[in-house]
Amino acid sequence: MLKRVEVKTNSRVQLIDITAHIKSQLRSENFSSGVVFVYVPHTTCGITINENVDPTVKEDILSVLGSLIPENGHYRHLEGNSDAHMKASLIGSSVTVFVESGALVLGTWQGIYLAEFDGPRKRSVLLKIVPD
Amino acid sequence: MLKRVEVKTNSRVQLIDITAHIKSQLRSENFSSGVVFVYVPHTTCGITINENVDPTVKEDILSVLGSLIPENGHYRHLEGNSDAHMKASLIGSSVTVFVESGALVLGTWQGIYLAEFDGPRKRSVLLKIVPD
Amino acid sequence: MLKRVEVKTNSRVQLIDITAHIKSQLRSENFSSGVVFVYVPHTTCGITINENVDPTVKEDILSVLGSLIPENGHYRHLEGNSDAHMKASLIGSSVTVFVESGALVLGTWQGIYLAEFDGPRKRSVLLKIVPD
């Protein structure tokens, strides 16, 4: 079944921890073992897995991405968000996470993040759960 | 079942919209709900999802990638395509797309692209469809 | 079933070919056709697919990544591995590989690599095999 989580972002670039939303969706299913796919149907944000404790990691990731791909570069696309499209393709539109005994299999420091590159906006995160 | 789509690229770097090919393969199956995985068995091209309307988005993505990872950098690999290998690992060799009611679940502006980094060539795109 | 492979890395940044480990795990299952997901439960390493013959490709990929995202940049995260977190999100925490007739469907030049960005360490690689 296709599940949907709505996420509101608050600034132009932002990493938002959505792990709790995904755990909540998983609990609402009677699902034991398999794989969860987390997907964004957008072209200026992405999904990534990274450190969930020290918030400076998120700041550094967004800062380095912004240095490599500046918002105000020499772009042909005239909507002012070419950098966001580029970052979305580098980060990717989905992640794959395993499920065992009804729980997400994440490393101790891993959180699942919506990577906003052209906010603030309302974003949809879609989930599919496939048994193994 | 493993499906295969052959794609001919026309220049060294290029983003080619293959969404219609994937929809066509999906229609040939009697498949209702699940996940499609789109994969390239190559090491100098990738698969990505991005904007399918304004063609300048594709030009900007290829241009920024070419600035960050120039074709003629100081590389040890002597085949002249080190940049292509690097770009392939950044973009990734596959994407995950959901299927509901027999149709791809894509956002309004999303298209699925073969990202050629060492063309022109004939490339294979492989598909697997997994039910949920 | 969740499978686990332990990998020991030998330097701070390194691409280690883990294809043989994954083939070995696959052989131990009586599995014919589907998809294998290869995942790292870590936030300073990733998984990627790239060329498995000329070792200079690996060196070039690590060298270019190191130039774009230097170890000693102006980072806020104080553990000295912000570059590793950033590279992990760019490379990604998993890859998707197809299985047909019990064998991995890889291109001639493709190998599956653990991408270490903050070693040397002991890393876990997790596998899930899903039938199609």
Side-chain angles (χ1 to χ4, degrees):
Chain A
M1 194 198 310
L2 188 68
K3 300 273 204 171
R4 182 183 297 263
V5 174
E6 302 296 338
V7 179
K8 200 181 163 304
T9 64
N10 308 307
S11 54
R12 186 167 194 273
V13 298
Q14 188 178 15
L15 288 177
I16 297 187
D17 192 333
I18 59 172
T19 316
H21 292 292
I22 294 162
K23 286 181 175 172
S24 168
Q25 293 290 326
L26 193 64
R27 272 192 302 268
S28 72
E29 296 289 294
N30 195 1
F31 186 79
S32 171
S33 175
V35 183
V36 177
F37 302 98
V38 184
Y39 180 87
V40 280
H42 306 291
T43 59
T44 54
C45 68
I47 297 281
T48 192
I49 292 174
N50 219 301
E51 148 127 15
N52 61 1
V53 177
D54 184 345
T56 61
V57 170
K58 294 191 290 182
E59 296 172 32
D60 285 342
I61 288 175
L62 294 174
S63 168
V64 171
L65 268 177
S67 298
L68 293 175
I69 307 159
E71 180 180 350
N72 299 305
H74 296 288
Y75 303 120
R76 298 201 50 190
H77 184 54
L78 297 176
E79 293 180 15
N81 62 358
S82 254
D83 64 311
H85 286 290
M86 175 69 197
K87 292 169 185 170
S89 271
L90 285 183
I91 293 298
S93 54
S94 69
V95 294
T96 298
V97 186
F98 299 163
V99 179
E100 281 284 293
S101 307
L104 290 180
V105 179
L106 288 171
T108 312
W109 314 109
Q110 285 186 315
I112 304 168
Y113 288 89
L114 173 76
E116 174 64 84
F117 298 124
D118 193 31
R121 292 201 194 199
K122 288 170 80 174
R123 299 294 198 176
S124 297
V125 177
L126 306 181
L127 307 181
K128 277 269 189 187
I129 309 176
V130 172
D132 63 354
Chain B
M1 196 198 309
L2 188 68
K3 299 274 201 170
R4 181 183 297 263
V5 173
E6 303 296 338
V7 179
K8 199 178 163 308
T9 64
N10 309 308
S11 55
R12 184 164 195 273
V13 297
Q14 187 177 14
L15 288 176
I16 297 188
D17 192 333
I18 59 171
T19 316
H21 293 292
I22 295 163
K23 286 181 175 171
S24 168
Q25 292 289 327
L26 193 63
R27 272 193 303 266
S28 72
E29 298 288 295
N30 195 2
F31 186 78
S32 171
S33 175
V35 184
V36 178
F37 302 97
V38 183
Y39 181 86
V40 279
H42 306 290
T43 59
T44 54
C45 69
I47 297 281
T48 192
I49 292 174
N50 219 302
E51 150 127 14
N52 60 1
V53 177
D54 184 346
T56 61
V57 170
K58 295 190 289 182
E59 297 172 32
D60 285 341
I61 288 174
L62 294 174
S63 167
V64 171
L65 268 177
S67 298
L68 293 175
I69 307 158
E71 180 180 351
N72 300 306
H74 295 289
Y75 302 119
R76 299 200 50 191
H77 184 54
L78 297 178
E79 292 178 16
N81 61 358
S82 254
D83 65 310
H85 286 289
M86 175 69 196
K87 293 169 184 170
S89 271
L90 286 183
I91 292 298
S93 54
S94 69
V95 294
T96 298
V97 186
F98 298 162
V99 179
E100 281 284 292
S101 308
L104 291 180
V105 179
L106 288 171
T108 312
W109 315 108
Q110 285 187 315
I112 304 168
Y113 289 89
L114 173 76
E116 175 63 83
F117 298 124
D118 192 30
R121 293 201 196 199
K122 288 171 81 171
R123 299 294 198 176
S124 297
V125 177
L126 307 181
L127 307 180
K128 276 268 189 186
I129 309 176
V130 172
D132 64 354
Chain C
M1 195 196 312
L2 188 68
K3 300 273 202 171
R4 181 183 297 263
V5 174
E6 303 296 338
V7 179
K8 200 179 163 307
T9 64
N10 309 308
S11 56
R12 186 167 193 272
V13 298
Q14 188 177 15
L15 288 177
I16 297 188
D17 192 333
I18 59 172
T19 315
H21 293 292
I22 295 163
K23 286 181 175 172
S24 167
Q25 292 289 326
L26 193 63
R27 271 193 302 267
S28 72
E29 296 290 293
N30 195 1
F31 186 78
S32 170
S33 174
V35 184
V36 178
F37 302 98
V38 184
Y39 180 86
V40 279
H42 306 292
T43 59
T44 54
C45 68
I47 297 281
T48 192
I49 292 173
N50 218 301
E51 148 126 16
N52 61 0
V53 177
D54 184 347
T56 61
V57 170
K58 295 191 289 181
E59 296 173 32
D60 285 341
I61 288 176
L62 294 174
S63 167
V64 171
L65 268 177
S67 298
L68 292 175
I69 307 159
E71 180 179 351
N72 300 304
H74 296 288
Y75 303 119
R76 299 201 50 191
H77 184 54
L78 298 177
E79 293 179 14
N81 61 359
S82 254
D83 65 311
H85 285 291
M86 175 69 197
K87 291 169 185 170
S89 271
L90 286 183
I91 293 298
S93 53
S94 69
V95 294
T96 298
V97 186
F98 299 162
V99 179
E100 281 285 292
S101 308
L104 290 180
V105 180
L106 288 171
T108 312
W109 315 108
Q110 286 187 314
I112 304 169
Y113 289 89
L114 173 76
E116 174 64 84
F117 299 123
D118 193 31
R121 292 201 195 199
K122 287 170 80 172
R123 300 293 198 176
S124 297
V125 177
L126 307 181
L127 307 182
K128 276 270 189 186
I129 309 175
V130 172
D132 65 353

